[in-house]
Amino acid sequence: MSKKQKWWHNAVVYQIYPRSFYDSNNDGIGDINGIRKKLPYLEKLGISVIWLSPVYCSPNDDNGYDISDYYDISPDFGTLNNMKALINEVKAHNIKIIMDLVVNHTSDEHKWFIEAKSSKDNKYRDYYIWRSGDKNTPPNDLKSCFGGSAWEYDVTTDEFYLHFFSKKQPDLNWKNPQMRQDIWDMMNYWIDLGIGGFRMDVIDLIGKEVDLKIKENGPKLHEYIQEMYENTLKDKDLLTVGECWGANPDIAKLFSAENRHELSMVFQFEHIMLDQNGEDKWNLKPLDLLELKRVFTKWQTELKNEGWNSLFWDNHDLPRIVSRWGNDKKYRVESAKMLAILLHGMKGTPYIYQGEEIGMTNIDFNGIEDFADIEAINAYKERISLGYNEKDVLKSLRAKARDNARTPMQWNDEANAGFTKGKPWYRVNPNYTQINVKQALADKNSIFYCYQKLIQMRKENPIMVYGDYELLLPEDKNIYAYKRTYQDKTWLIICNFYEHNVEFSLNGTGKILISNYENSCTDLTKGKLRPYEAIIYEWIQ
Ligand code: GLC
Ligand code: CA
């Protein structure tokens, strides 16, 4: 073993988007007490970590990713005492909680920003990034991820401040050491309350050099992360995962190689961007399976001895994978299981996004009025003003809008999918009458039990955690196949990515460990796969 074993190496993480998970007091908004009620469900699934999207005080311009107080809980979600109770209760279910750490920016309603914008010589002024300029001409052409300029003019002090997201999310100035110290103090406050780690929002932006127009991976990024480690994470044995849209394997190694004392792993998005043309996620193109194989294989291979991979299809920013790269109609169950087996068979720490384990799908949108997310609404306005036709704009939004992931969790077939007895804050997917947790738990062949088994297999089989990965049948346009090897064992993971029957020929025989069909073939010299069939074999050669 080239590296020390860590508790999070065989962990599976479950992401909760609290607003849409479970509403305990019927105000239409999911909350912390709702999560507490569902801990037995999560324990049954077998996950060992919850990543909790932000529950801090927030005016909700970006659903909690605009924080106005890092030390307190938004009344939408409950109280600090509810949160302390949750942190305590998860232990009895063998679960740890990692919190979202959103420190690239705050809300414009955070007290630091209110102070900062009150005058140029305020002591918090330098916590943010200000540049002078004529009020109609921003300091440069940096763009916000949510559309338009990244600069907003402030009348009171006649300067612009930087915001890489909405204008209600001013970027913090990481060059200010006092600001960094305040962040370390805040992180230590949560660590002392007993959390198991952090998911770090757009962390690769904190080293930005705005005058050089460097956004991601700025020159001081790793210096800041190492300083963070020294002041907060060191000797704590936490799981830390950084969201890094700009990562390649070399960058991921800088973050996650053990001897560098930075993070446990990063989220990279190379596979996620394979169905877009260029930089713009709204420019759609079909997924090419050969590309997907190439990208996953690159990451599996390059992080083999140094660093660690995270494995995910879905999160609160992405459309539902079964609708995206599976088949959410006739083969919903088969394809959702195939995608689960394909991903969970790899080396790294898997993340499941709420509802993925029951095969929740994208939702239908009629027109722009059905979207709630700031990103979608801004993209719509921007594209229409650039002259795109509305039909195409809506097609892109339907495919990629973050709203797809944010519809309420479907618990049962009662009103509002059992999510709330009040009026849900956002639309419930009408397919809840068929797709829901109650149904999944009652059906022993459900997607839920496939995930449950994959999680259990990871706990019991070191080969799944530490085995080497090798791509097989690299040129096959329909099948994704790879093997894992560890000590004297070999596993074969083989998946038909499409809805027609396919054949393959390898050698030896396979002992089936998990499959999404009855009676999968075991003679690997005359292999056959039905639509979306996926199997993990112990490979006897
Ligand atoms: C991350 C979050 C996303 C948010 C953005 C700004 O990408 O996942 O939801 O809008 O950062 O905080
Ligand atoms: Ca509520």
Side-chain angles (χ1 to χ4, degrees):
M1 186 74 37
S2 61
K3 70 174 98 187
K4 275 204 274 155
Q5 300 199 351
K6 300 279 189 191
W7 67 266
W8 38 264
H9 282 163
N10 72 355
V12 175
V13 183
Y14 186 92
Q15 182 191 353
I16 292 183
Y17 194 69
R19 183 162 296 272
S20 299
F21 191 62
Y22 185 62
D23 178 16
S24 71
N25 63 351
N26 298 320
D27 64 355
I29 301 174
D31 45 52
I32 291 169
N33 285 344
I35 300 171
R36 291 168 68 190
K37 292 217 165 83
K38 297 297 182 184
L39 292 175
Y41 168 72
L42 297 175
E43 185 176 3
K44 186 175 171 86
L45 181 58
I47 54 105
S48 30
V49 181
I50 293 170
W51 152 23
L52 185 57
S53 276
V55 287
Y56 314 92
C57 292
S58 164
N60 285 315
D61 193 50
D62 184 19
N63 277 2
Y65 284 89
D66 47 321
I67 296 170
S68 53
D69 185 352
Y70 291 109
Y71 287 86
D72 205 354
I73 300 297
S74 161
D76 280 354
F77 298 129
T79 63
L80 188 58
N81 277 335
N82 297 156
M83 187 64 208
K84 289 180 180 165
L86 174 65
I87 294 172
N88 207 27
E89 277 167 24
V90 290
K91 294 181 200 146
H93 301 271
N94 298 315
I95 294 173
K96 295 178 198 268
I97 295 228
I98 68 173
M99 304 257 306
D100 225 304
L101 183 76
V102 188
V103 291
N104 173 67
H105 44 267
T106 66
S107 162
D108 65 338
E109 297 180 35
H110 191 286
K111 64 178 186 227
W112 297 340
F113 191 73
I114 295 173
E115 291 277 340
K117 71 169 189 187
S118 68
S119 81
K120 282 188 188 165
D121 49 21
N122 186 279
K123 85 174 206 212
Y124 290 101
R125 181 72 173 179
D126 187 50
Y127 273 38
Y128 296 87
I129 299 169
W130 301 90
R131 293 290 181 274
S132 53
D134 158 353
K135 77 171 191 223
N136 298 313
T137 328
N140 63 30
D141 61 359
L142 279 174
K143 293 272 172 281
S144 153
C145 299
F146 292 159
S149 170
W151 297 101
E152 179 72 9
Y153 178 70
D154 169 56
V155 197
T156 324
T157 56
D158 185 31
E159 281 190 335
F160 286 83
Y161 65 86
L162 180 84
H163 62 91
F164 279 159
F165 296 90
S166 96
K167 64 181 183 205
K168 286 185 66 62
Q169 294 167 294
D171 278 54
L172 286 165
N173 175 19
W174 276 75
K175 292 186 174 161
N176 183 314
Q178 185 56 49
M179 193 287 294
R180 298 202 299 276
Q181 186 58 51
D182 281 350
I183 299 291
W184 313 151
D185 291 349
M186 178 272 286
M187 289 173 69
N188 286 328
Y189 165 82
W190 287 104
I191 293 170
D192 292 344
L193 284 179
I195 65 166
F198 296 101
R199 174 268 185 183
M200 302 185 184
D201 193 63
V202 291
I203 201 69
D204 62 354
L205 295 178
I206 64 172
K208 70 201 75 154
E209 285 291 343
V210 287
D211 302 313
L212 304 174
K213 298 202 244 173
I214 297 174
K215 296 177 83 172
E216 288 154 340
N217 301 307
K220 293 206 156 182
L221 171 61
H222 294 279
E223 189 181 313
Y224 297 149
I225 303 287
Q226 288 176 3
E227 185 182 312
M228 173 194 281
Y229 182 92
E230 268 307 300
N231 286 282
T232 64
L233 310 171
K234 192 177 165 182
D235 303 326
K236 300 283 178 15
D237 205 14
L238 304 175
L239 187 170
T240 49
V241 50
E243 186 197 21
C244 297
W245 283 84
N248 59 31
D250 287 333
I251 293 171
K253 280 190 246 184
L254 293 178
F255 278 109
S256 65
E258 199 180 342
N259 58 5
R260 289 186 46 88
H261 304 302
E262 296 194 10
L263 307 180
S264 314
M265 64 193 105
V266 302
F267 289 130
Q268 60 83 16
F269 293 87
E270 211 181 330
H271 61 300
I272 290 303
M273 295 192 279
L274 290 175
D275 60 3
Q276 74 189 44
N277 256 320
E279 296 280 286
D280 193 332
K281 78 181 223 177
W282 308 111
N283 291 336
L284 309 179
K285 77 168 191 201
L287 175 73
D288 174 348
L289 179 63
L290 294 186
E291 287 244 297
L292 183 69
K293 296 205 263 190
R294 184 184 56 74
V295 167
F296 271 137
T297 301
K298 175 172 87 182
W299 282 88
Q300 289 286 302
T301 313
E302 299 215 12
L303 269 58
K304 180 175 164 189
N305 296 321
E306 218 186 323
W308 188 256
N309 273 299
S310 64
L311 306 169
F312 69 97
W313 292 123
D314 276 353
N315 67 32
H316 65 294
D317 294 330
L318 303 173
R320 294 283 181 180
I321 195 61
V322 69
S323 302
R324 187 180 195 175
W325 294 342
N327 175 323
D328 64 7
K329 302 279 174 334
K330 184 167 172 202
Y331 293 110
R332 186 183 66 87
V333 173
E334 291 82 355
S335 66
K337 290 180 184 173
M338 180 277 287
L339 291 160
I341 290 171
L342 173 55
L343 192 77
H344 285 242
M346 290 188 208
K347 184 172 176 184
T349 299
Y351 289 73
I352 300 169
Y353 178 66
Q354 67 186 41
E356 181 187 333
E357 78 282 13
I358 56 165
M360 276 177 62
T361 69
N362 284 352
I363 186 169
D364 284 335
F365 300 91
N366 287 315
I368 187 63
E369 65 286 352
D370 283 345
F371 294 85
D373 178 30
I374 181 171
E375 185 195 47
I377 294 166
N378 287 359
Y380 177 87
K381 288 187 200 145
E382 186 160 282
R383 294 204 142 212
I384 295 290
S385 78
L386 289 170
Y388 286 78
N389 91 40
E390 196 195 16
K391 225 176 111 212
D392 293 339
V393 176
L394 287 173
K395 185 175 174 211
S396 297
L397 293 190
R398 284 192 184 100
K400 291 287 184 71
R402 310 195 295 183
D403 289 312
N404 282 305
R406 300 179 180 185
T407 63
M409 180 74 181
Q410 295 164 207
W411 292 104
N412 56 41
D413 58 5
E414 289 159 34
N416 304 319
F419 161 72
T420 179
K421 293 202 167 59
K423 183 177 179 314
W425 76 275
Y426 190 53
R427 298 185 303 139
V428 176
N429 195 318
N431 65 20
Y432 76 86
T433 50
Q434 279 88 51
I435 304 172
N436 61 65
V437 168
K438 189 173 166 217
Q439 181 283 328
L441 292 178
D443 172 6
K444 71 179 186 357
N445 290 317
S446 69
I447 301 165
F448 177 91
Y449 290 112
C450 176
Y451 273 90
Q452 185 192 54
K453 184 159 180 189
L454 288 165
I455 296 168
Q456 191 57 29
M457 285 167 70
R458 185 167 289 268
K459 288 183 191 154
E460 290 166 359
N461 296 282
I463 183 172
M464 209 162 163
V465 184
Y466 295 110
D468 285 343
Y469 166 105
E470 186 189 326
L471 183 69
L472 303 171
L473 310 174
E475 301 306 325
D476 194 299
K477 292 196 170 64
N478 301 300
I479 296 178
Y480 193 146
Y482 59 93
K483 70 174 180 180
R484 302 285 307 275
T485 45
Y486 184 74
Q487 294 170 351
D488 55 353
K489 278 211 164 83
T490 304
W491 281 13
L492 168 65
I493 294 90
I494 191 154
C495 306
N496 178 1
F497 212 80
Y498 297 104
E499 68 172 80
H500 38 259
N501 294 325
V502 291
E503 294 180 0
F504 65 91
S505 175
L506 293 162
N507 56 30
T509 53
K511 181 175 154 227
I512 298 167
L513 302 176
I514 187 169
S515 168
N516 59 351
Y517 276 82
E518 297 284 307
N519 305 317
S520 290
C521 76
T522 52
D523 177 356
L524 302 177
T525 61
K526 292 195 228 86
K528 285 188 178 39
L529 297 170
R530 289 158 281 185
Y532 299 102
E533 186 161 1
I535 307 141
I536 302 183
Y537 296 103
E538 187 173 334
W539 197 353
I540 299 131
Q541 280 164 292

